[in-house]
Amino acid sequence: MKDFKRYYEINATPAEVYAALVNPLAIKLWTGEEAEMSDVVGSEFSLWDGAIQGRNLEFEQDRKIVQQWYFDEVSEESIVSILLHPHKQGTSAELRHSHIPDADFDDIVEGWNEAYFGSLQEYFEME
């Protein structure tokens, strides 16, 4: 199992980034895909046509999202924490993803950098 941590700068306010991460209509705008998401603790979510699935664990409005991501046959919970910090360019998003299965690590990191935060950064650059 591996852990991944990275900061992403996004040209939007923390409130705008938070909404883009928890509102299914906003998620569709930057992913192009339908999403099942809410900011209700304990609710399950599904992104990218089920490629990412899990359960929402904690929210702090405009500041924090904590989720458990599901991986088959994994004994330890894979936890994703996204902390949103005000930054001179808009928002610094601090990502921590723990207990990523070794076999999935490279694909997960690429997904974070390109599909997830890469797409989010592009979306806010075009606005």
Side-chain angles (χ1 to χ4, degrees):
M1 300 292 245
K2 296 182 179 180
D3 295 343
F4 178 66
K5 179 181 177 182
R6 180 163 176 198
Y7 289 85
Y8 300 88
E9 291 181 11
I10 303 168
N11 188 22
T13 67
E16 291 170 322
V17 174
Y18 182 87
L21 294 173
V22 300
N23 181 316
L25 297 175
I27 293 169
K28 185 175 181 177
L29 292 175
W30 61 270
T31 67
E33 303 279 341
E34 296 289 334
E36 293 178 30
M37 178 62 75
S38 80
D39 60 355
V40 175
V41 172
S43 63
E44 297 208 347
F45 65 89
S46 176
L47 306 170
W48 280 281
D49 200 28
I52 299 172
Q53 297 183 22
R55 184 168 44 97
N56 291 309
L57 302 177
E58 183 180 345
F59 295 97
E60 188 175 328
Q61 182 74 36
D62 303 337
R63 297 206 58 222
K64 182 178 185 180
I65 299 167
V66 180
Q67 301 172 320
Q68 176 187 356
W69 282 26
Y70 299 152
F71 290 95
D72 292 332
E73 301 175 20
V74 173
S75 59
E76 296 182 67
E77 291 183 350
S78 182
I79 303 297
V80 169
S81 296
I82 300 171
L83 301 177
L84 304 176
H85 308 283
H87 185 272
K88 62 184 174 187
Q89 300 292 327
T91 298
S92 174
E94 175 186 346
L95 167 71
R96 293 174 185 253
H97 191 165
S98 65
H99 302 114
I100 303 168
D102 293 345
D104 296 312
F105 185 78
D106 291 339
D107 287 339
I108 293 293
V109 169
E110 181 180 337
W112 280 119
N113 291 335
E114 295 178 16
Y116 205 99
F117 280 104
S119 294
L120 193 59
Q121 288 167 323
E122 287 177 19
Y123 172 74
F124 282 112
E125 289 298 323
M126 290 194 279
E127 280 200 331

